[in-house]
Each structure stands twice: as structure tokens, then as C-alpha cells.
């Protein structure tokens, strides 16, 4: 009986641990996932008394979304295709969101509360043209109608079911329609535009049936610039092609009249080139010059009057109807660290309905767009709220002089990501300041125990969640011994750097880079990539790590480059350079100086190599390794791959001791009529390889061909470079190469006939996995190539190893022309891929897994063993013991292998893996429109306890076991004594 009691107690307490772990997983923070919508380009408010107040937005990332007006949270969103660009949005009948997209070819209605699609209509026409959406109160045969101009055709479409009620073609080839206008209360529509850029055209259309009522035109001696501003239902303003003459064109009652006004007549000083600012304010329009923004009123018979001129950056909203016949609009101006929001009535420029000043973080940049909405205050006066889009793509709601909420939607367009270690926890810091005291520790574990025993009240569960959030190790701003806490440094398309904490995803700091700010000297700055500049190891307590941001002033490869150095801990930009040369390629070198700054080579468009940092120590280190520096370039358009080495310091007019000429070592010219480069892949520089030898089933040894100079190249037939299915299998082929980039030697070449891209590839250790489409089988495939070094095959003899007669310690050189063999295999795979990566660990011991970004925007983990080229249908017993999986024609998709679980990373673009200090664990960051981060252990956490491990329960279990042993010992002694007395 005592033994049975002991076993019962043991199993009872042992079973508590998994229960507790499960409970803590439910309330813990294992992963984080953040949703964004991108840079807003159009917004419409919905603030009816019934239902929740919301704002409908379309973005540059082709997203339609509705946001809660109280908090900015996403109610629903739809990500349209990459070619399904949103041209216009509006709200119809108070319950439908209407979107016009795909160049005006697709009109959709979405249910406002839940985002379900109600109907979709295809609007095709005779030619490509500007797309315009006009919501009206027009009723045609009891149907509320929308007016849409697209593809050279004017359509009236039912709001209820999307049926086209009538259509009218405008087939004149040179006609460019600019505006579709319905005067208030009328049953006709004006269609106005330019023909041959020098003639103004006006069409008057019957809104009930599409019949042409009148057509008028007038010629202009010059040429129109192409953009017009609507200042009334029968008046537009346009600029000529030189930007120096304003044309006021009126078509009252179908009669066209125009008046020309030189811009110089409106301004005393020389205005320079003028541009019309898009707005729809009645009677007023604005133009922007190099020096100022000018607001102009249209009075009388097309006469113009300047009402205000400002030198500040100014943004104007569209007109907002606030009452019968009354409109208001907003102006936003910058003044130092503040922005001034002014709301004016359209009929009276000198009065203000609202004037507020809001302090704004300068790291957000200038205001790019503003949208306004009104509400009725308790005193029956008009109040206003403003939705503003900033230079860094963030979105903010302003109301009553304060920022109600903000969204960092710039994170939806990340260009590049790198990581940085957190600060070391300095000695001398009181443990009580950074950790919970003993009482709180015991209280927390008592609460967890109550949760395990299902005795926790809702208040206890809330307390557990709060304590975990407050005291979680994950959110500390210091390094942890497992290497889980890091900073993710992300560069966005807006030229802003963000530092995200891997523990909870919060933004530690953000910085809008001055080097990527639009200026006179850099009209079109573009961020390229990020590199680790300084990573202190010996001076970790004294020096902060920093990152190098590389950009250029234009999209072409010969545009001048820009550099920024940013402190990884504070976000401070402590150095910014405008280079005198272009940046076509950045090569991080494996050398550091005494301050642990990493040396970098920047290759310009003329193949000159520029060394950074420009210090005497850096040049000395570089000169000592001068002969070991090689690089390559890939010209996708011309199908040329070239290898280079350094020659001498730059000659000619360039007097720079840090500049070096290059010499071409080799080149591979692919036949342009049969091959086009679509994908390249290389090994990660920080990848660890545990061993070069691979022991196979028959106790034989194969030596991996390990080289950091290995390049994977995939080419397709030029005809097959389009979308899948654009060619027949006979016209398509995929060719893959493995190339040594030092010598230009082609180590392996393989052709897949009847196959087509796009190709996603990952290169790791001695193998490459790539994904493509098989046109013959009408399925996706994944292939693997493993490459082995045969020059070390003699080292299999044990006696040679004993006596030292081997070449394992001989230097490895690309010029040794090692004899290599390859093994390959192909498998069917059911999914299309968006990205592919491989798990990284600190020593490379843990088994590799592929992280696959699927077409469903999830991340799937696939064991590399499924892509072993040595798989066979009936593996031997020795092969099974080695871990060889029986061969199947397709790769399995295990639902439990989705590391994103049920979450989706919308618009998935890239998967980044980083090794933690624990060999078992890799850190995974996936980004697109959304962000997702998690810890992943390919072979389970065999080298550590989980974060949710309950030490308190372990202590209780040990005490209980000791007590049970003591009790059973006493009972045993008593029984033994009784037996002796017998």
C-alpha cells in the first residue's frame, strides 16, 4: 500500500508540469505578430450615428482597409494583387465601400461592417485612359448609380448589384479625359479633357441614358501640362506645359470661355516652375513653386486673385461639405517641431473654423496628405478631426489639438533588416531593481499553481498575465544568456530606420535618415541595404554597436551614393556622407580595425573599389590582405557574370588613396537567345558548419564541398520569363549553375526541360534547394543539389590518419581545382513560394530545416531530410538508421509544421533567420505588409529548459517526493517491527 501511494503521488505531481506549461502557453507571449496597411493615398470617413465610426483607406500597397476611428485598429482589410492598383474609393448608400482598381477595369462593392465582397463588375473599353470614380445621388430606373470613367468609356453602374446601366465610348485616340463632373441637382454630366495636348474638349452627357447632348472644344496656342483643378462645377484651372501660364476655362451652359494669366503677374518675384496642387475646394486652388505655395481665388469672369502666399511646407485637403451649400477645407503647415492645422470655410478665406498647433515628432518628417471630417459638438458648433499621412508613411489622427492615435505603417515597406545585440547588463546594478523580489516571486508562482489546479479566478488569470507582461525577461533592454533578446534594425522605403525589440516587437527607437531625405542635391533618394558597421566584443561595455545604411540619389546604378552611420542603441545618426561616386555593390570584408569597425568595399558603376572606413589603420589592414580580395558581378539583362580582383590604386583624375582599380579575371557570357538570368543565391557569411565530413550508411565518409565563393545561378528561356503558362513546355527550360566566383569555374550545370520560373533558391553548406514550376506535370517542384569534394577521398584510410599522411590540414584554395561530384533529386511540391530560408544555429550541429514562405502568406518548416538526394523507395536498414526517409514523389506538408500557426504574414516578402546562443534555437523574422517573429527549435530544445518551466512546481514535486519517501520508510519500519514481534 505504501509503494502504491508513492507511485500515485509521483505521477500526480509529474503530470502537473505539462498542464502548467500548456496553461502558461495560453497566457504567455511566445511570438508576436503586427499588422499594417502601408502608406495611405486615399481615405473616406464613415461617421454615421448608427454603427461604429471608422475610416476607409486605400494604400500604395494595394490594400483596402477600414480602421476604428477611436483607436486606429484594423476592422478588416483586403490585399489586392500586385497589378490590381486602387484608382479610387468611396462609400455608397452608407453601407458599401466602392473601389475602382486595375486601371479602371474592376469595380467592386464591399460590405462596410465586415468587408465581404457584395459584387464585382468588369469595365472594359476601347483604349487605356485615366480612371475616375464619381458617386452621385443619381437614380436610374429606381437604381442608385455610380458614374465611372475608365478605358475610354463612361459607365453608369448600379450600386445594388454592379450591373452596367448604360455606357458611352470616347474613342478619339488623342483625347485625355481629366474630370467627370455632375453639377448639383442636375441630370447631366460634363466630361472634360484635352485633345492633342493643345485643345480643350467638353462633352455634355445625359445622366439618365448616356446620350450625348453637346460637344464643344477650343484650341490653345500652347500645350497643356495635363493636370487640371476643379474650382466649380463649371470651371477648371490648368497650367501650360511650361508651368508659367494659368488658364481658367469655363463651360457655363455648354459654352466654353477661357482666360490666360501669366503666373508672374500674380507674384512679384520670379516664381520658377509652378505645379497645381490637387484639391476640390470651390472657388480656390493652389499652386506650388520652388520657393512658395500660393493660394488663388477665382472671381468674376475667370479673374484670379492671390489670397495668401506661404514659404512653409503646406498640404491642402479636399473640400468637405459641412452643411447645405457650405464647404470647408484644411491646411497643414510646418513650423519647426510643430504643425499648424487650420480649417477654413471655402467662401471666406479670412475666417477660420479651427486653428490648432500640435507638437510633432520631427522623426516623422513632413506631412504628405491630410483628410478631414467634421462632427457636431455638444454646443452644436462644428468640430473637426484630421487624418494625416507623414513622410515616414505613418498615419495619425488629430482631434482637439492632440494626437488621438498613430500607426507606424512605414513598417509595411521594409527594404532590409539586420540585427544588433542589446547592451550588456553592467555590474553593480541592484538585483532588486531589475528582478522581482522574493515575495513577488513566490506570489507569482502561487498564482501559476492555482491556474494549474484550475482554481484560478478571472482576477487571478488577469494578474498572471499582467505579471508576465511586467516582469517578462523577454522585454528587458539587456542581453540574455540564451541570445534571444536582440534588436531588429529595419530600413523602410520611406528612408526611416526602426529598432524593434525581439521580445515583444515594440519600437525601441526610430530615425528618419537625413541622408535619405529629399533635397536639392539628392532629388530622388533611395535606400538600398543595411550592414553591420561596428560590433564591439572586447569593448562591449564602452562602445555601442552601429549599422551602415547605404543608399543612392536615384534609381539608376550610376547615381551618386549616400552613407549613414547610426548608433544601434540610440538611433542617433552620427555620420552622414554624400559620396562622389556611385554604389553598384557593397562587399563587407572579414576584417576589422582596432575599434572593431568592419571594413567595407563599395564598388561603383565603373568597377572602382572604394574602401571604408577611410582611416590609415583600415588601409594598412586592407593592403596586407590585398591579394585575397575577389568579387563578382551579375548583369541580369545581358546575361553576363564576371569575376574581379584588385589591381592598383585609382588612376586618372581620381586622387584618392582609398580607391582601387579592378581587373577582370573571368567572365561567363550566357547565350541571350536561349537563357535569361532570373535568380542568384549565395551562402550566408555568418553560417556555421559543424563538420565537413558526412558519415553515410555503409560507414563510408563523404566530404562536403564547403566554399564561401559558391554562387547559384538560375536561367530560363527568354520566352519563359513571363507568367506561368505563357509558353508551351517545348519552348521552356530551366538551367541551373553552380559557379566558383574566384576562378569562374562551372562546378555543375543541369537543365530542367519544360520548366519555368519564378525560382526561389537557398544555398547552405554544400547544398542548394530551389523551387520552380514544371509545365509538363502542371505542378510546382523542388530540387536539391549536393556537392562533395572528391580530392579528400583518400582520407578514408584509418592508417593514413594515424600516421598523419593525409591532406585534411592543407590549405583550401579555389585554384586547386578540386574534383567534385554532385547528387541531385527533384520532388513535387503543392505550393507556390514567396520566400525561402534555412535555419541557422550558432555551431551548425542542429539538423537543418527549410523555412518556406507559401503563397498563403504563412511560413512552413520542412525538414531537410525530405530533400535528401540519397532517398530511395526501399532504403536499407543501415540507411534507415542513418535517417534516410523512403522516397515519395511529393514533399509532405504537415499542418503542425506551420511556424506561423494560424496567422498570416500578408504580402510576405522575406524570411530572416538569426542564430541564438543556444545551439537548438534559431530566431525567425518574416516581413511583408505584416511582421512576425518567433523562436524556432528544429530539433526541439534539447539543451535548455523552456521559458515556461515552473521552478516552484519542481520544488514542490521534490518536497512531495521526499515526504513520500520518508512516509513509506516509516511505514516500512513499522511493518518490519510487527513482523519481528510475530
Amino acid at each position: 500500500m505504501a509503494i502504491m501511494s508513492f507511485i500515485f503521488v509521483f505521477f500526480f505531481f509529474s503530470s502537473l508540469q505539462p498542464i502548467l506549461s500548456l496553461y502558461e502557453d495560453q497566457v504567455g507571449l511566445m511570438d508576436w505578430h503586427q499588422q499594417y496597411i502601408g502608406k495611405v493615398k486615399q481615405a473616406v470617413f464613415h461617421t454615421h450615428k448608427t454603427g461604429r465610426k471608422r475610416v476607409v483607406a486605400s494604400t500604395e500597397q494595394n490594400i483596402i482597409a477600414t480602421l476604428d476611428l477611436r483607436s486606429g485598429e484594423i476592422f478588416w482589410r483586403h490585399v489586392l494583387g500586385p497589378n490590381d492598383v486602387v484608382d479610387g474609393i468611396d462609400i455608397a448608400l452608407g453601407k458599401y465601400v466602392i473601389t475602382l482598381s486595375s486601371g479602371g477595369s474592376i469595380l467592386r462593392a464591399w460590405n462596410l461592417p465586415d468587408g465581404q465582397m457584395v459584387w464585382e463588375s468588369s469595365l472594359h473599353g476601347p483604349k487605356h485612359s485615366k480612371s475616375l470614380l464619381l458617386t452621385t445621388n443619381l437614380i436610374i430606373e429606381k437604381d442608385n448609380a455610380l458614374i465611372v470613367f475608365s478605358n475610354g468609356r463612361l459607365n453608369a453602374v448600379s450600386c445594388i448589384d454592379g450591373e452596367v446601366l448604360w455606357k458611352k465610348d470616347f474613342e478619339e485616340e488623342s483625347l485625355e479625359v481629366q474630370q467627370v463632373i455632375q453639377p448639383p441637382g442636375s441630370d447631366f454630366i460634363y466630361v472634360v479633357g484635352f485633345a492633342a495636348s493643345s485643345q480643350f474638349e467638353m462633352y455634355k452627357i445625359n445622366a439618365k441614358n448616356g446620350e450625348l447632348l453637346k460637344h464643344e472644344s477650343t484650341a490653345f496656342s500652347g500645350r497643356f501640362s495635363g493636370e487640371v483643378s476643379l474650382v466649380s462645377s463649371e470651371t477648371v484651372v490648368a497650367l501650360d506645359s511650361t508651368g508659367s501660364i494659368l488658364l481658367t476655362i469655363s463651360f457655363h451652359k455648354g459654352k466654353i470661355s477661357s482666360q490666360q494669366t501669366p503666373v508672374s503677374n500674380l507674384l512679384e518675384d520670379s516664381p520658377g516652375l509652378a505645379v497645381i496642387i490637387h484639391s476640390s475646394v470651390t472657388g480656390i486652388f493652389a499652386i506650388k513653386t520652388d520657393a512658395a505655395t500660393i493660394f488663388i481665388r477665382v472671381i468674376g469672369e475667370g479673374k484670379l486673385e492671390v489670397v495668401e502666399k506661404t514659404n512653409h511646407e503646406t498640404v491642402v485637403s479636399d473640400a468637405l461639405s459641412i452643411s447645405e451649400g457650405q464647404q470647408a477645407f484644411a491646411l497643414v503647415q510646418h513650423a519647426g517641431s510643430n504643425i499648424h492645422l487650420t480649417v477654413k470655410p471655402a467662401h471666406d478665406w479670412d475666417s477660420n473654423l479651427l486653428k490648432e498647433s500640435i507638437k510633432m515628432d520631427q522623426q516623422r518628417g513632413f506631412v504628405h496628405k491630410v483628410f478631414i471630417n467634421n462632427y457636431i459638438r455638444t454646443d452644436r458648433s462644428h468640430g473637426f478631426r484630421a487624418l494625416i499621412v507623414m513622410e515616414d508613411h505613418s498615419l495619425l489622427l488629430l482631434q482637439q489639438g492632440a494626437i488621438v492615435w498613430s500607426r507606424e505603417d512605414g513598417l509595411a515597406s521594409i527594404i532590409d533588416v539586420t540585427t544588433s545585440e542589446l547592451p550588456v547588463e553592467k555590474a553593480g546594478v541592484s538585483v532588486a531593481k531589475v528582478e522581482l523580489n522574493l515575495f513577488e516571486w513566490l506570489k507569482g508562482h502561487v498564482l501559476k499553481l492555482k491556474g494549474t489546479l484550475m482554481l484560478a479566478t478571472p482576477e487571478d488569470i488577469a494578474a498572471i498575465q499582467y505579471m508576465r507582461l511586467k516582469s517578462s525577461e523577454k522585454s528587458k533592454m539587456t542581453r540574455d544568456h540564451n541570445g534571444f533578446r536582440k534588436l531588429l534594425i529595419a530600413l523602410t522605403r520611406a528612408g526611416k530606420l526602426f529598432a524593434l525589440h525581439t521580445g515583444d516587437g515594440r519600437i525601441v527607437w526610430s530615425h528618419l535618415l537625413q541622408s535619405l531625405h529629399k533635397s536639392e542635391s539628392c532629388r530622388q533618394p533611395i535606400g538600398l541595404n543595411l550592414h553591420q558597421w561596428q560590433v564591439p566584443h572586447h569593448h562591449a561595455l564602452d562602445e555601442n554597436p552601429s549599422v551602415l545604411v547605404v543608399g543612392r540619389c536615384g534609381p539608376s546604378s550610376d547615381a551618386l551614393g549616400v552613407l549613414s552611420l547610426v548608433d544601434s542603441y540610440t538611433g542617433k545618426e552620427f555620420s552622414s556622407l554624400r559620396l562622389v561616386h556611385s554604389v553598384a555593390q557593397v562587399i563587407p570584408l572579414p576584417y576589422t580595425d582596432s575599434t572593431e569597425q568592419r571594413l567595407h568595399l563599395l564598388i561603383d558603376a565603373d568597377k572602382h573599389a572604394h574602401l571604408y572606413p577611410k582611416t590609415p589603420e583600415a588601409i594598412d589592414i586592407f593592403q596586407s590582405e590585398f591579394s585575397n580580395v575577389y568579387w563578382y558581378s551579375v548583369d541580369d539583362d545581358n546575361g553576363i557574370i564576371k569575376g574581379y580582383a584588385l589591381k592598383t590604386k585609382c588612376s586618372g583624375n581620381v586622387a584618392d588613396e582609398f580607391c582601387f582599380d579592378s581587373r577582370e579575371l573571368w567572365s561567363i557570357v550566357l547565350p541571350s537567345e536561349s537563357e535569361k538570368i532570373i535568380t542568384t543565391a549565395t551562402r550566408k557569411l555568418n553560417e556555421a558548419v559543424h563538420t565537413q565530413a558526412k558519415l553515410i550508411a555503409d560507414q563510408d565518409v563523404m566530404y562536403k564541398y564547403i566554399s564561401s565563393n559558391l554562387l547559384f545561378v538560375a536561367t530560363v528561356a527568354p520566352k519563359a520569363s513571363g507568367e506561368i503558362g505563357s509558353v508551351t513546355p517545348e519552348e521552356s527550360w530551366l538551367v541551373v549553375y553552380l559557379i566558383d566566383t574566384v576562378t569562374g569555374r562551372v562546378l555543375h550545370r543541369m537543365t530542367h526541360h519544360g520548366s519555368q520560373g519564378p525560382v526561389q533558391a537557398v544555398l547552405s553548406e554544400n547544398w542548394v534547394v530551389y523551387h520552380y514550376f514544371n509545365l509538363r506535370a502542371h505542378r510546382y517542384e523542388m530540387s536539391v543539389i549536393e556537392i562533395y569534394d572528391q580530392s579528400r577521398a583518400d582520407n578514408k584510410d584509418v592508417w593514413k590518419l594515424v600516421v598523419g599522411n593525409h591532406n585534411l590540414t592543407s590549405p583550401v584554395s579555389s585554384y586547386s581545382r578540386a574534383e567534385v561530384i554532385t547528387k541531385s533529386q527533384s520532388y513535387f511540391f503543392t505550393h507556390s513560394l514567396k520566400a525561402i530560408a534555412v535555419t541557422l544555429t550558432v555551431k551548425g550541429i542542429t539538423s537543418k530545416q527549410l523555412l518556406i514562405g507559401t503563397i498563403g502568406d504563412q511560413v512552413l518548416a520542412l525538414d531537410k531530410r525530405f530533400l535528401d538526394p540519397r532517398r530511395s523507395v526501399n532504403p536499407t536498414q543501415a540507411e534507415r538508421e542513418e535517417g534516410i526517409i523512403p522516397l515519395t514523389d511529393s514533399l509532405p506538408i504537415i499542418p503542425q509544421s506551420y511556424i506561423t500557426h494560424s496567422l498570416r504574414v500578408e504580402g510576405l516578402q522575406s524570411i530572416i533567420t538569426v542564430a541564438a546562443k543556444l545551439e537548438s534555437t534559431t530566431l525567425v523574422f518574416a516581413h511583408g505588409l505584416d511582421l512576425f517573429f518567433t523562436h524556432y527549435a528544429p530539433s526541439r530544445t534539447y539543451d535548455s529548459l523552456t521559458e515556461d518551466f515552473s521552478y516552484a512546481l519542481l520544488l514542490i514535486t521534490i518536497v512531495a517526493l521526499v515526504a513520500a519517501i520518508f512516509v513509506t520508510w516509516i511505514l516500512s519500519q513499522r511493518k518490519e517491527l510487527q513482523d519481528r514481534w510475530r
Side-chain angles (χ1 to χ4, degrees), residues 207 226 255 303 307 315 327 353 465 485 639 648 693 717 723 735 880 887 936 957 980:
K255 296 292 184 181
K303 293 182 180 180
V307 293
V315 181
Q327 289 183 332
L353 297 174
Q465 292 175 331
R485 292 198 298 265
T648 58
E723 294 183 356
V735 185
R880 290 179 183 274
L887 179 65
Y936 182 61
T957 304
R980 288 181 178 179

Side-chain angles (χ1 to χ4, degrees), residues 286-338:
I287 61 173
K288 182 177 177 59
T289 67
D290 293 337
T293 302
I294 303 101
F295 294 91
I296 302 170
R297 179 187 291 125
V298 181
I299 55 176
E301 296 295 325
K303 293 182 180 180
L304 304 179
E305 176 189 24
V306 176
V307 293
E308 187 170 321
K309 173 186 172 184
T310 176
N311 296 324
H312 296 292
E313 283 285 336
T314 306
V315 181
V316 187
S317 75
D318 281 338
L320 171 70
S321 179
I322 57 176
S323 61
E324 187 70 28
Q326 188 176 359
Q327 289 183 332
F329 65 99
L331 303 175
V332 178
Q333 296 179 330
H334 282 266
S337 60
N338 291 345

Side-chain angles (χ1 to χ4, degrees), residues 646-705:
L646 298 173
K647 187 169 60 175
T648 58
K649 291 188 177 179
C650 290
S651 56
N653 298 326
V654 181
D656 186 355
E657 64 174 325
F658 300 95
C659 175
F660 300 88
D661 284 331
S662 62
R663 56 190 174 96
E664 184 179 318
L665 296 177
W666 55 267
S667 65
I668 299 174
V669 181
L670 301 173
S672 59
E673 66 277 2
S674 61
E675 294 187 46
K676 177 179 175 58
I677 298 174
I678 58 170
T679 302
T680 61
T682 58
R683 276 185 60 200
K684 282 195 172 184
L685 297 176
N686 60 346
E687 182 185 28
V689 179
H690 176 58
T691 178
Q692 187 180 359
K694 181 176 181 178
L695 185 65
I696 58 179
D698 56 1
Q699 302 304 310
D700 197 2
V701 178
M702 299 181 70
Y703 290 92
K704 303 174 186 177
Y705 182 83

Side-chain angles (χ1 to χ4, degrees), residues 451-714:
T452 302
L453 300 174
M454 306 301 177
L455 300 176
T457 63
E459 292 77 12
D460 291 337
I461 295 174
I464 293 171
Q465 292 175 331
Y466 174 76
M467 291 182 69
R468 286 178 62 86
L469 287 170
K470 181 180 177 182
S471 62
S472 174
E473 287 282 324
K474 296 180 181 181
S475 60
K476 289 179 64 176
M477 280 299 297
T478 55
R479 299 182 192 181
D480 63 306
H481 63 279
N482 290 331
F484 293 166
R485 292 198 298 265
K486 295 181 187 291
L487 289 179
L488 293 169
I489 313 294
L491 174 64
T492 68
R493 188 163 54 87
K496 190 171 186 178
L497 270 185
F498 289 87
L500 306 175
H501 196 292
T502 58
D504 52 12
R506 73 182 186 275
I507 296 173
V508 178
W509 55 259
S510 61
H511 183 78
L512 191 64
L513 298 168
Q514 290 302 311
S515 60
L516 297 180
H517 188 73
K518 186 177 179 180
S519 63
E520 291 292 331
S521 59
C522 192
R523 290 284 186 177
Q524 197 176 354
I526 297 173
L528 296 178
N529 41 44
L530 287 171
H531 298 275
Q532 292 184 345
W533 178 256
Q534 185 178 19
V535 185
H537 295 289
H538 304 295
H539 308 284
L541 293 174
D542 306 316
E543 298 283 347
N544 289 359
S546 56
V547 294
L548 170 67
V549 185
V550 183
R552 60 179 173 226
C553 294
S556 63
S557 60
D558 58 354
L560 297 181
V562 292
L563 300 180
S564 286
L565 297 177
V566 180
D567 189 306
S568 298
Y569 290 168
T570 64
K572 181 182 178 182
E573 187 176 5
F574 59 85
S575 181
S576 178
L577 298 173
R578 299 225 180 255
L579 307 180
V580 295
H581 59 82
S582 59
V583 179
Q585 195 173 349
V586 181
I587 304 174
L589 299 173
Y591 317 122
T592 58
D593 61 14
S594 59
T595 62
E596 298 182 272
Q597 290 185 122
R598 190 168 189 174
L599 275 59
H600 290 74
L601 271 187
L602 273 59
I603 312 300
D604 63 22
D606 297 323
K607 303 306 176 188
H608 292 127
H610 302 265
L611 178 67
Y612 291 86
K614 292 189 173 185
T615 62
E617 184 185 5
I619 196 70
D620 290 341
I621 296 171
F622 186 68
Q623 289 285 10
S624 65
E625 301 290 343
F626 190 83
S627 60
N628 295 325
V629 177
Y630 299 87
W631 76 91
Y632 67 94
S633 66
V634 180
D635 186 347
D636 297 343
D637 297 330
N638 299 313
I640 301 175
I641 308 169
K642 293 183 178 181
Y644 300 90
L646 298 173
K647 187 169 60 175
T648 58
K649 291 188 177 179
C650 290
S651 56
N653 298 326
V654 181
D656 186 355
E657 64 174 325
F658 300 95
C659 175
F660 300 88
D661 284 331
S662 62
R663 56 190 174 96
E664 184 179 318
L665 296 177
W666 55 267
S667 65
I668 299 174
V669 181
L670 301 173
S672 59
E673 66 277 2
S674 61
E675 294 187 46
K676 177 179 175 58
I677 298 174
I678 58 170
T679 302
T680 61
T682 58
R683 276 185 60 200
K684 282 195 172 184
L685 297 176
N686 60 346
E687 182 185 28
V689 179
H690 176 58
T691 178
Q692 187 180 359
K694 181 176 181 178
L695 185 65
I696 58 179
D698 56 1
Q699 302 304 310
D700 197 2
V701 178
M702 299 181 70
Y703 290 92
K704 303 174 186 177
Y705 182 83
I706 304 295
S707 173
S708 58
N709 304 316
L710 200 60
L711 171 68
F712 170 82
V713 179

Side-chain angles (χ1 to χ4, degrees), residues 600-859:
H600 290 74
L601 271 187
L602 273 59
I603 312 300
D604 63 22
D606 297 323
K607 303 306 176 188
H608 292 127
H610 302 265
L611 178 67
Y612 291 86
K614 292 189 173 185
T615 62
E617 184 185 5
I619 196 70
D620 290 341
I621 296 171
F622 186 68
Q623 289 285 10
S624 65
E625 301 290 343
F626 190 83
S627 60
N628 295 325
V629 177
Y630 299 87
W631 76 91
Y632 67 94
S633 66
V634 180
D635 186 347
D636 297 343
D637 297 330
N638 299 313
I640 301 175
I641 308 169
K642 293 183 178 181
Y644 300 90
L646 298 173
K647 187 169 60 175
T648 58
K649 291 188 177 179
C650 290
S651 56
N653 298 326
V654 181
D656 186 355
E657 64 174 325
F658 300 95
C659 175
F660 300 88
D661 284 331
S662 62
R663 56 190 174 96
E664 184 179 318
L665 296 177
W666 55 267
S667 65
I668 299 174
V669 181
L670 301 173
S672 59
E673 66 277 2
S674 61
E675 294 187 46
K676 177 179 175 58
I677 298 174
I678 58 170
T679 302
T680 61
T682 58
R683 276 185 60 200
K684 282 195 172 184
L685 297 176
N686 60 346
E687 182 185 28
V689 179
H690 176 58
T691 178
Q692 187 180 359
K694 181 176 181 178
L695 185 65
I696 58 179
D698 56 1
Q699 302 304 310
D700 197 2
V701 178
M702 299 181 70
Y703 290 92
K704 303 174 186 177
Y705 182 83
I706 304 295
S707 173
S708 58
N709 304 316
L710 200 60
L711 171 68
F712 170 82
V713 179
T715 69
V716 294
K719 287 184 179 180
S721 58
E723 294 183 356
I724 292 176
S726 58
V727 291
T728 63
E730 291 72 22
E731 298 175 309
S732 179
W733 51 84
L734 170 69
V735 185
V736 298
Y737 298 84
L738 288 174
I739 301 171
D740 188 302
T741 58
V742 173
T743 63
R745 178 188 174 194
V746 177
L747 299 170
H748 183 67
R749 181 183 186 273
M750 186 165 62
T751 303
H752 299 270
H753 293 284
S755 297
Q756 189 180 3
V759 173
Q760 297 286 347
V762 61
L763 180 60
S764 175
E765 293 192 355
N766 68 318
W767 53 264
V768 60
V769 170
Y770 53 100
H771 174 275
Y772 55 93
F773 189 79
N774 187 327
L775 289 169
R776 295 185 188 277
H778 301 287
R779 297 174 72 176
Y780 289 100
E781 283 188 1
M782 290 183 75
S783 292
V784 58
I785 301 172
E786 291 186 357
I787 183 168
Y788 293 93
D789 186 353
Q790 283 294 90
S791 63
R792 297 174 180 264
D794 292 340
N795 296 319
K796 300 174 185 178
D797 192 330
V798 176
W799 289 108
K800 286 186 177 182
L801 295 174
V802 171
V803 301
N805 187 17
H806 59 79
N807 63 352
L808 288 179
T809 58
S810 61
V812 178
S813 171
S814 292
Y815 286 104
S816 63
R817 296 190 64 85
E819 181 184 351
V820 298
I821 62 168
T822 59
K823 295 180 179 292
S824 60
Q825 184 64 272
S826 298
Y827 305 90
F828 289 123
F829 191 67
T830 57
H831 282 304
S832 172
L833 301 193
K834 287 188 171 183
I836 186 169
V838 64
T839 55
L840 293 180
T841 55
V842 67
K843 294 180 181 178
I845 300 173
T846 305
S847 61
K848 298 281 187 180
Q849 291 210 7
L850 297 171
L851 300 179
I852 297 170
T854 67
I855 193 65
D857 293 321
Q858 291 186 296
V859 180

Side-chain angles (χ1 to χ4, degrees), residues 166 194 205 503 569 582 765 846 954 958:
W166 57 257
F194 305 130
I205 307 294
Y569 290 168
S582 59
E765 293 192 355
T846 305
L954 176 63
I958 292 172

